[in-house]
Amino acid sequence: MKSAKPKICVVGSLMTDLVFRVERLPQPGESMPGKEFGLFLGGKGFNQALACHRLGAEVTMVGRVGRDYFAGLFLQKLAEEGMRADFIFQDDEVGTGVACPIIDDSGQNAIIGIGRANMRIDLSQVEAAREEIESADVLMLQFEIPYPVSRRAAQIAKASGAIVLLDPAPIHNAGVLISEEVDFIVPNEIEARALAQSQPVELWAEAEVKAGRSGVVISLGAEGALVFDQQGRRQFPAFPVQPVDSTGAGDAFRAGLAVSLAEGKGIDQSVRFANACGALACTVLGAEPSMPRRDRVERFLREQEAA
Ligand code: RIB
């Protein structure tokens, strides 16, 4: 660690989630009544930053929102949580990003997102946050902001010795080159398949490690997580929970992984901690409320060991 507390910088998205709960996901062309509606703060970047903060890291979130009602909700939440907002840039012309997670009775989700202001963050804003990126132990990136912005942040982080962790979601950018600065690629199963293109996922992951990545960690939801690194391939089972809403569970998983790696823990211990974070996040409706706090995760891990 570069200082007493693990330090994480997230350069990523903030999206307001308009959540619809439904019995099952609709078919194309079908109109169906929903069961419940909720408005939650989300966006992969924001969820990961908030989760890292709640897990005990010192976090800087770098992102762009509009100058609208939704932006106000984010600024208020960051203040309530005691998080800095000095690298949340505001766009006068384009509104805050929005997403529409649809959650079925099994807790599964499908998400439509529109980046809006997130897609207007630019290189000058990454430069403005340079010192924050340079002093971080881990830089977390996703695919909800323009690729050149993420790439520049990764270059700055790498030059200062930070671990760069990429969540390649959403994967509309399939086939995009994952830059050499990325240490850990952390896709879900769908994203891993898209990145592997025509080859089997395992071969793709092994080739990434052979080419110099520190690791590929594939989150598998209820099946846990698969790790590929210099030690080979290992699967870590998920912790059993009653799922309510899996929106943001992947973000909690990635935050757990990042915080634990920033604390200097090994990958196996970090993935177990990440699995606990992801499991707990599935038990609460909405992304922001479901990001777990450190004491809850540690208690959960003790309960699981005792059981
Ligand atoms: O990973 C979950 C997040 O993805 C949601 O909060 C939604 O905003 C989308 O960006």
Side-chain angles (χ1 to χ4, degrees):
M1 282 195 291
K2 292 178 181 167
S3 48
K5 254 185 161 189
K7 185 152 192 250
I8 311 259
C9 184
V10 180
V11 180
S13 59
L14 304 97
M15 318 264 274
T16 309
D17 290 349
L18 308 171
V19 176
F20 291 78
R21 282 202 65 127
V22 292
E23 194 181 319
R24 56 176 175 76
L25 300 181
Q27 304 289 317
E30 181 182 9
S31 293
M32 67 187 283
K35 295 170 82 170
E36 202 183 340
F37 170 76
L39 188 149
F40 298 100
L41 300 183
K44 295 180 194 304
F46 175 77
N47 295 340
Q48 293 176 21
L50 179 67
C52 288
H53 167 76
R54 289 182 179 170
L55 293 172
E58 189 188 327
V59 180
T60 303
M61 165 95 215
V62 183
R64 186 164 173 131
V65 292
R67 203 172 282 285
D68 51 16
Y69 172 71
F70 293 155
L73 298 180
F74 278 105
L75 297 176
Q76 190 185 331
K77 177 52 72 180
L78 289 166
E80 268 169 33
E81 292 278 338
M83 292 176 73
R84 296 170 57 180
D86 40 349
F87 293 99
I88 305 295
F89 300 95
Q90 288 194 269
D91 194 310
D92 290 321
E93 287 160 15
V94 173
T96 303
V98 284
C100 175
I102 305 173
I103 321 295
D104 73 10
D105 274 349
S106 71
Q108 270 207 108
N109 68 54
I111 305 177
I112 305 156
I114 308 183
R116 306 179 80 208
N118 291 295
M119 296 312 287
R120 304 212 333 154
I121 187 166
D122 61 33
L123 293 174
S124 70
Q125 293 165 344
V126 174
E127 288 305 329
R130 172 184 271 275
E131 277 180 29
E132 296 302 315
I133 301 170
E134 282 175 343
S135 60
D137 297 298
V138 176
L139 171 73
M140 300 184 76
L141 300 168
Q142 314 80 28
F143 276 164
E144 285 187 329
I145 60 168
Y147 179 71
V149 171
S150 303
R151 177 86 203 264
R152 183 70 198 119
Q155 287 166 342
I156 296 171
K158 195 68 187 169
S160 70
I163 297 170
V164 180
L165 195 148
L166 172 72
D167 171 10
I171 198 66
H172 55 83
N173 288 333
V176 78
L177 188 67
I178 295 196
S179 68
E180 73 227 25
E181 295 86 13
V182 172
D183 296 296
F184 289 93
I185 310 177
V186 193
N188 68 14
E189 233 178 329
I190 295 173
E191 293 140 14
R193 258 188 260 125
L195 290 168
Q197 297 189 22
S198 54
Q199 58 185 321
V201 164
E202 306 226 341
L203 287 188
W204 163 74
E206 282 160 7
E208 289 290 336
V209 171
K210 232 185 222 159
R213 297 273 179 225
S214 302
V216 174
V217 181
I218 305 178
S219 57
L220 302 172
E223 302 303 316
L226 254 182
V227 174
F228 297 84
D229 65 6
Q230 294 295 342
Q231 268 64 58
R233 170 201 189 278
R234 282 139 7 252
Q235 182 153 2
F236 295 82
F239 293 104
V241 285
Q242 195 58 50
V244 172
D245 173 13
S246 59
T247 313
D251 299 321
F253 174 91
R254 284 154 184 81
L257 188 64
V259 170
S260 185
L261 290 172
E263 288 172 347
K265 312 234 169 76
I267 187 76
D268 292 13
Q269 192 181 350
S270 299
V271 170
R272 186 176 146 74
F273 183 73
N275 270 341
C277 296
L280 285 169
C282 284
T283 63
V284 179
L285 179 66
E288 175 275 309
S290 72
M291 295 301 121
R293 294 188 188 272
R294 182 71 174 238
D295 53 351
R296 179 70 192 98
V297 179
E298 284 175 353
R299 185 155 38 92
F300 179 75
L301 280 167
R302 284 197 298 276
E303 287 161 4
Q304 294 298 316
E305 265 157 39

